[in-house]
Amino acid sequence: MAGDPPRQLWWTLRLQHLVEAQLISKEQSNRVRNAYACSRLSDDKLKAMLHGEGDDDAAALVKAFWEGERVIVCLELTDSEHNCERTDSVDSTPTRYQSVFMKKPSYAELVDFVESAFHRFEKEAYILKSDQIDIGPTTWNILDPKPSEPHYVVQVCSVRQPFSSITLDDGYRMLGVSRMQDEVLVAKTDLNMDEELADTLQKSTRFKTVEDLMLHLGDDLAARMIVSNPQDDWKLARGCRELIGPVLMAAALLAKGVKIKASMSVTGVHAAGVVDWAMLYKGMSIVVFEAELYCKWEDYLGQVAAEILAAREEYVLSVLGKRKREVDDTLAKVPTWAIITNGLSYKFVKFVTTITNEGKLSKELLGSDTIPVPLVPGMDTKRVVEVVSPVVAYIRYVLEQQKQALDQR
């Protein structure tokens, strides 16, 4: 029928795909659309054009549209995190798209169709299924069309996971490593107390030297322990958050140019969620994970690995504006650090990628020794400074290494 929306969409898509396939020019497409208003052509007008009446070029094009082979592919948005059951879109985004191709699209063309139809998958991991069969390049090539329309119905299933659900094996698999090489990281852990602070910090505070800043940190932590004894919370499923924030702040001020955000959302391709802290430089996050008191570091490595990967992916996709397939190449020489702490001890983790002599990407996950921070109520300021200085120096070193890598990228 004249003006029927599905018919109009069909003609528009046919023209679009003919242009993309370079079978017709954009000028020809516009001429057909403008001269004959394809979406509103009556059947009689179509028959007349098919018999060659009117503009010869346009008639030939319409005949190609009408009689040529076409393949219709339908996409359905599903939720693979719950056995691929159909989900309703919370933001009213359509959950079903259909497109017409001049021939069966290649797997790469199918992926492009998915990511143009559902823009979220430009930055989100997903799998494709058809009749419960996982679709990849090989299975798509041998998948037979249905005799009815649409010829192919493809379910698009998100596989992005929340950080909290990531196991150790999941985290290693996401990063592309088999294990963490532990106790291999070393860093400078002493501070020059006579070093002058940045001019901006001196102008904004009464602090002039590193010693001034560390004495302030010592006063702060000593006071906090009077009202919040970390030893009282050993049965609680939490760390000593009130003792972590001031340490991170001091290290960030010493490293210069670093921002801190607590409870920050980080969204990667494969995992997403809220990190306890993010220490940011040029939009790249060093994630800080708050561990429970008296738990093993291994209990958190899977989640931390996922947070490291998500920080890298978010930086490449959201800050640099590149595509998800470009993450590894973009950051091939840029390491990413993470910190695990319960407030009384710290563990540092570094994800390293290098290009081998054969041109392949090598990936390693490295860990540090555990650095104890034995804070107890009743410590005076001087003693607190002695206890926390090594970890402040280590965090400063980590921040400066991350900054240098990004500046040299």
Side-chain angles (χ1 to χ4, degrees):
M1 293 179 62
D4 181 41
R7 184 185 179 88
Q8 180 177 355
L9 176 62
W10 188 85
W11 282 107
T12 300
L13 289 171
R14 291 303 294 272
L15 287 168
Q16 175 186 331
H17 286 296
L18 282 172
V19 172
E20 292 175 353
Q22 298 182 341
L23 298 176
I24 64 173
S25 68
K26 191 170 184 181
E27 180 183 353
Q28 287 176 307
S29 170
N30 291 336
R31 186 149 52 90
V32 171
R33 183 179 288 124
N34 295 335
Y36 294 98
C38 292
S39 63
R40 297 185 294 278
L41 285 175
S42 66
D43 288 341
D44 289 341
K45 182 66 176 176
L46 275 171
K47 290 177 182 177
M49 292 179 67
L50 289 172
H51 284 87
E53 299 177 12
D55 184 292
D56 290 339
D57 289 341
L61 288 171
V62 172
K63 184 173 183 178
F65 300 157
W66 193 255
E67 295 182 346
E69 179 187 358
R70 58 178 179 149
V71 175
I72 300 178
V73 178
C74 177
L75 303 179
E76 293 182 345
L77 183 62
T78 60
D79 181 6
S80 67
E81 292 178 282
H82 301 286
N83 299 318
C84 280
E85 294 177 358
R86 184 67 176 273
T87 59
D88 294 324
S89 177
V90 296
D91 59 355
S92 300
T93 301
T95 58
R96 184 181 175 94
Y97 278 92
Q98 187 165 293
S99 187
V100 182
F101 295 83
M102 292 299 294
K103 61 181 181 179
K104 181 180 179 180
S106 66
Y107 182 74
E109 291 171 331
L110 177 65
V111 169
D112 287 340
F113 176 34
V114 169
E115 296 182 6
S116 62
F118 304 112
H119 292 296
R120 56 183 272 200
F121 292 120
E122 293 176 344
K123 300 181 179 181
E124 184 174 346
Y126 60 90
I127 59 173
L128 302 177
K129 288 179 174 288
S130 183
D131 293 331
Q132 303 302 313
I133 299 173
D134 288 345
I135 295 178
T138 302
T139 51
W140 174 249
N141 288 337
I142 63 176
L143 191 65
D144 292 327
K146 295 181 178 180
S148 59
E149 295 183 357
H151 302 103
Y152 297 94
V153 177
V154 178
Q155 290 82 41
V156 187
C157 316
S158 171
V159 291
R160 183 159 65 191
Q161 299 175 257
F163 291 143
S164 58
S165 71
I166 306 297
T167 65
L168 180 61
D169 289 340
D170 288 338
Y172 285 171
R173 175 180 50 79
M174 286 180 178
L175 281 182
V177 300
S178 59
R179 63 183 182 89
M180 184 177 76
Q181 299 178 47
D182 207 4
E183 300 181 359
V184 295
L185 294 176
V186 294
K188 182 180 178 181
T189 56
D190 60 314
L191 296 172
N192 177 6
M193 294 297 179
D194 296 326
E195 177 187 344
E196 290 193 0
L197 299 173
D199 291 342
T200 53
L201 184 56
Q202 291 191 39
K203 292 177 181 178
S204 301
T205 68
R206 59 181 176 82
F207 311 140
K208 303 301 179 184
T209 65
V210 171
E211 183 178 24
D212 295 335
L213 178 62
M214 293 304 295
L215 287 173
H216 171 77
L217 174 62
D219 285 340
D220 188 7
L221 293 177
R224 287 171 181 259
M225 285 189 290
I226 293 174
V227 296
S228 181
N229 183 354
Q231 305 303 322
D232 290 340
D233 296 333
W234 70 274
K235 289 185 178 181
L236 300 180
R238 58 186 291 274
C240 303
R241 174 169 292 232
E242 60 279 1
L243 303 182
I244 299 171
V247 172
L248 300 179
M249 180 202 69
L253 289 172
L254 292 176
K256 305 172 188 175
V258 177
K259 305 296 182 183
I260 299 178
K261 289 188 178 181
S263 301
M264 192 182 98
S265 176
V266 175
T267 303
V269 174
H270 299 87
V274 176
V275 299
D276 295 312
W277 285 274
M279 305 186 78
L280 297 152
Y281 179 71
K282 291 186 174 181
M284 180 76 162
S285 300
I286 291 178
V287 295
V288 182
F289 184 91
E290 180 187 356
E292 298 174 14
L293 288 170
Y294 311 114
C295 285
K296 297 179 180 178
W297 299 122
E298 291 77 7
D299 296 341
Y300 307 105
L301 280 178
Q303 183 168 338
V304 170
E307 292 180 3
I308 288 174
L309 181 60
R312 292 171 68 85
E313 292 170 339
E314 185 174 66
Y315 174 71
V316 172
L317 273 62
S318 299
V319 178
L320 301 183
K322 297 191 176 185
R323 304 188 71 176
K324 58 187 179 185
R325 64 194 68 169
E326 299 177 285
V327 172
D328 282 344
D329 290 341
T330 302
L331 297 181
K333 297 181 180 180
V334 178
T336 303
W337 292 80
I339 303 169
I340 312 174
T341 178
N342 54 26
L344 299 181
S345 58
Y346 285 73
K347 180 86 169 180
F348 296 87
V349 179
K350 182 182 182 183
F351 178 60
V352 183
T353 58
T354 54
I355 304 295
T356 66
N357 293 333
E358 294 77 23
K360 296 182 179 179
L361 191 66
S362 173
K363 302 178 179 181
E364 293 181 303
L365 190 65
L366 311 175
S368 72
D369 290 332
T370 298
I371 299 180
V373 185
L375 294 169
V376 294
M379 277 185 173
D380 61 20
T381 297
K382 182 179 180 181
R383 178 56 183 155
V384 171
V385 170
E386 291 175 354
V387 167
V388 301
S389 287
V391 78
V392 171
Y394 205 129
I395 298 173
R396 178 189 187 179
Y397 167 82
V398 165
L399 295 173
E400 290 174 342
Q401 290 293 302
Q402 189 76 79
K403 286 176 56 181
Q404 182 179 359
L406 288 170
D407 288 341
Q408 294 176 350
R409 188 184 66 81

